[in-house]
Amino acid sequence: MADTPQQIQISSDPVKARYDKLDILKEMGRNPFEETTSDRDTTCQEISDRFEELENKTVCIAGRVMSKRGKGKVTFLDVHDISGKMQVFAKRDDLGEDEYAILKRWDIGDIVEVKGFVFKTQMGEVSVHAQAVKLLSKSLQPLPEKYHGLTNTDLRYRQRYTDLIMNPDVKDTFIKRSKIISSIRRFLDEQGFMEVETPMLVANAGGAAARPFFTHFNALDEDLKLRISLELYLKRLIVGGLEKVYEIGRVFRNEGVDTRHNPEFTLMELYQAYTDYNGMMDLTERLYRHVAQDVLGTTKITYNGVEMDLGKPFERITMLDAVKKYAGVDFNEIHSDEEAKAIAKEKGIEVEDRHKKGDILSLFFEEFAEEHMIQPTFVTDHPIEISPLTKKKPEDPNYVERFEFFMNGWEMANAYSELNDPIDQRERFKAQEELLAQGDEEANTTDEDFLNALEIGMAPTGGIGYGIDRMVMLLTDSPAIRDVLLFPTMKSLDK
């Protein structure tokens, strides 16, 4: 190639070789990093889908080189963009000797632009016959070996960008995640809900049983927390007369990491005035069916080989009945905290001194019943001890109008008939403060401004929180929450 600087030798080291090729391009005045845009007018998938219309027409594609083969005067490339891949057929006689020599030095991973006409090869593969090519960005690090891909799980999560390049299924999962969230928004917007945003930095992190993260606001010299829930601010908006509100956003809980937990995750909460937890059950059935049908084209989903049918009416069972069914213990026959602790000891359930009968009922559900909630199921009527923000059941004040929605043995959503009695709410906060003093780091603290809002007056309200990440896991058959979070929390490599 006449104008290639002869003094630059290509190293045998694969990384150094890429830097050498970049130096050659810079010496030629062809620095790819100075390119600012592309003339791309067609995606790879569009060419395949519209072949009959585009055959022999000139198109411009752009994407990443993922394979390169051929020799002499002909080179074949596979160029990938977000829609898929397209084969590029390049000939020296079409591009000219100099441009073809530059193309021959392209590396796997380089980002390129190709202009040419659409045709089918003798093997019947839809392709672009290159008439002009341009290097848009030089890849200076080799990608993982093609046939083995990026299989190291830890490295996949740390280098999600490489994971997305090498594993098409991963890219498809995150495209589906985006569609799921868009579908949720469309559904709620059509139901008359208003999307809002509430603070992430708060003085009082309430609304859930979880340990918060702490930070310090230098300008005001005040300690703040990252929110663990969206609840208390959204209820303030109900007080203010916004009768149907929802928020989709990140919340932060200072807890462990496992297949279903990450310290920051996506939560959606919605609140609707003039309804109760029964209204939230009806809404949840319709929402899940809509999203599955909209994104997957079916209401039957399969997770880890188990089929779950969102098209059938969701089962409804009280927590008392679930524990009676799966643990063989009828808590209606247990009349004191001491009796509950005794039966817990008999069944091998560890309890603490502060635990009351309702706490122990919840522990029994978690131990014996939760794993059986495979098909869509609403578990209703929780004990008051574990539900500090929920209305009591009028016929039995030891229990509240609350449900948790389960699928695949996982809690997918949590809903209440919201407590709107400020006097009762103050007493519930007081009980939470006592638990905090006894060492319960997940207990709530009194929120005086929220109590003031309730004193202004809140209409009867139904509210619910949905774990978006778990929903995406089920709808994409993903084994772990890290597989549906683009950048999951990872331990520092320096530790």
Side-chain angles (χ1 to χ4, degrees):
M1 194 165 71
D3 55 351
T4 299
Q6 298 300 313
Q7 68 272 25
I8 299 177
Q9 300 296 316
I10 304 297
S11 171
S12 59
D13 175 83
V15 176
K16 179 66 168 56
R18 292 177 179 236
Y19 278 87
D20 290 342
K21 291 175 185 178
L22 177 62
D23 288 340
I24 290 172
L25 290 168
K26 287 179 177 178
E27 289 290 327
M28 295 170 60
R30 302 282 293 272
N31 183 354
F33 297 121
E34 292 180 353
E35 298 290 344
T36 59
T37 188
S38 167
D39 294 327
R40 179 172 74 171
D41 56 23
T42 314
T43 67
C44 296
Q45 190 61 45
E46 282 179 317
I47 294 172
S48 297
D49 292 343
R50 299 166 52 204
F51 172 73
E52 292 182 0
E53 175 189 346
L54 293 175
E55 186 176 15
N56 296 320
K57 301 280 181 64
T58 298
V59 297
C60 180
I61 64 171
R64 190 181 297 272
V65 177
M66 292 300 292
S67 74
K68 179 181 170 188
R69 57 207 178 275
K71 59 183 179 179
K73 299 180 181 180
V74 174
T75 297
F76 287 91
L77 307 166
D78 280 343
V79 174
H80 289 218
D81 64 15
I82 193 170
S83 71
K85 73 174 183 177
M86 179 54 52
Q87 178 173 271
V88 171
F89 173 76
K91 288 181 66 177
R92 186 181 69 181
D93 292 347
D94 296 321
L95 297 176
E97 186 173 346
D98 291 348
E99 288 300 319
Y100 186 73
I102 291 175
L103 177 143
K104 291 283 285 182
R105 283 182 167 168
W106 285 355
D107 288 304
I108 304 301
D110 286 352
I111 297 173
V112 303
E113 177 187 275
V114 178
K115 291 180 181 178
F117 62 86
V118 176
F119 79 113
K120 271 188 182 177
T121 65
Q122 291 180 343
M123 300 298 291
E125 183 167 354
V126 175
S127 306
V128 173
H129 188 130
Q131 295 172 305
V133 297
K134 185 189 295 185
L135 181 61
L136 299 176
S137 181
K138 183 70 184 162
S139 175
L140 298 174
Q141 285 284 346
L143 294 172
E145 197 270 330
K146 172 184 174 183
Y147 293 102
H148 296 95
L150 184 61
T151 56
N152 180 295
T153 302
D154 188 72
L155 187 61
R156 283 182 52 228
Y157 297 144
R158 291 184 188 277
Q159 295 187 11
R160 183 66 84 188
Y161 42 90
T162 310
D163 189 26
L164 290 165
I165 293 168
M166 299 305 301
N167 297 318
D169 290 347
V170 172
K171 181 179 68 176
D172 291 343
T173 293
F174 287 104
I175 290 173
K176 239 173 223 169
R177 179 188 173 106
S178 178
K179 289 180 178 178
I180 288 166
I181 293 173
S182 294
S183 182
I184 290 169
R185 284 193 164 103
R186 284 194 300 273
F187 175 83
L188 292 177
D189 292 348
E190 288 168 3
Q191 301 296 312
F193 281 85
M194 173 181 172
E195 185 172 11
V196 297
E197 294 175 312
T198 61
M200 291 189 183
L201 285 172
V202 294
N204 189 327
R211 287 192 301 171
F213 287 95
F214 291 83
T215 189
H216 187 76
F217 183 18
N218 292 331
L220 296 181
D221 193 24
E222 287 186 357
D223 290 330
L224 295 174
K225 301 167 188 172
L226 291 174
R227 66 184 181 187
I228 60 173
S229 168
L230 313 174
E231 180 167 351
L232 299 185
Y233 280 97
L234 291 176
K235 285 183 179 177
R236 287 169 166 90
L237 299 181
I238 295 291
V239 171
L242 303 182
E243 295 179 358
K244 287 184 173 183
V245 293
Y246 76 97
E247 180 173 7
I248 301 174
R250 282 295 176 102
V251 296
F252 309 86
R253 298 182 182 179
N254 200 346
E255 59 188 16
V257 174
D258 61 28
T259 57
R260 283 183 281 158
H261 294 87
N262 193 73
E264 57 173 313
F265 61 97
T266 302
L267 182 65
M268 179 177 78
E269 292 195 32
L270 64 85
Y271 293 84
Q272 178 178 345
Y274 310 111
T275 190
D276 63 2
Y277 75 145
N278 292 299
M280 293 298 102
M281 284 189 238
D282 295 340
L283 181 70
T284 298
E285 285 201 39
R286 290 186 285 114
L287 172 63
Y288 261 77
R289 285 193 192 112
H290 167 85
V291 172
Q293 187 67 51
D294 189 29
V295 177
L296 305 180
T298 178
T299 57
K300 290 184 178 179
I301 66 170
T302 301
Y303 185 84
N304 196 25
V306 177
E307 185 177 276
M308 287 161 272
D309 191 350
L310 293 163
K312 295 179 179 178
F314 294 5
E315 183 181 350
R316 302 186 183 195
I317 187 171
T318 68
M319 184 176 283
L320 281 167
D321 287 343
V323 169
K324 184 177 180 180
K325 180 177 180 179
Y326 294 107
V329 177
D330 186 353
F331 269 74
N332 280 322
E333 301 300 320
I334 295 173
H335 303 293
S336 69
D337 298 339
E338 288 69 29
E339 287 180 51
K341 288 178 180 176
I343 195 70
K345 184 177 180 181
E346 180 184 319
K347 293 287 188 178
I349 301 290
E350 292 187 13
V351 299
E352 300 176 20
D353 290 341
R354 62 183 175 82
H355 282 151
K356 300 185 185 227
K357 173 185 167 182
D359 299 301
I360 297 168
L361 171 63
S362 178
L363 292 173
F364 266 74
F365 174 79
E366 291 173 4
E367 180 67 25
F368 295 107
E370 193 170 290
E371 65 183 359
H372 298 285
M373 307 292 128
I374 303 300
Q375 295 301 316
T377 303
F378 296 119
V379 177
T380 68
D381 302 348
H382 292 48
I384 193 170
E385 290 89 343
I386 61 169
S387 311
L389 298 163
T390 316
K391 274 195 173 183
K392 298 173 184 174
K393 290 183 69 64
E395 65 273 22
D396 188 348
N398 292 314
Y399 296 90
V400 298
E401 293 189 347
R402 172 183 175 187
F403 73 80
E404 290 175 304
F405 173 49
F406 283 87
M407 287 181 67
N408 194 50
W410 302 350
E411 179 200 337
M412 305 297 296
N414 184 25
Y416 313 150
S417 295
E418 302 296 338
L419 180 59
N420 62 346
D421 179 347
I423 299 169
D424 188 357
Q425 184 64 77
R426 184 174 291 280
E427 289 301 310
R428 306 274 194 100
F429 276 144
K430 183 179 178 181
Q432 288 285 301
E433 295 274 10
E434 290 171 0
L435 291 175
L436 191 65
Q438 294 171 27
D440 184 354
E441 294 179 320
E442 296 185 347
N444 283 203
T445 56
T446 302
D447 187 327
E448 290 292 346
D449 183 72
F450 176 65
L451 288 171
N452 184 69
L454 292 186
E455 288 173 347
I456 296 293
M458 185 173 85
T461 297
I464 187 166
Y466 297 91
I468 296 298
D469 306 307
R470 291 185 188 179
M471 184 181 191
V472 174
M473 286 174 66
L474 281 185
L475 294 180
T476 60
D477 198 8
S478 298
I481 192 170
R482 289 181 174 187
D483 295 311
V484 299
L485 296 174
L486 280 168
F487 300 103
T489 303
M490 303 290 291
K491 185 175 181 179
S492 170
L493 291 174
D494 296 332
K495 296 293 185 182

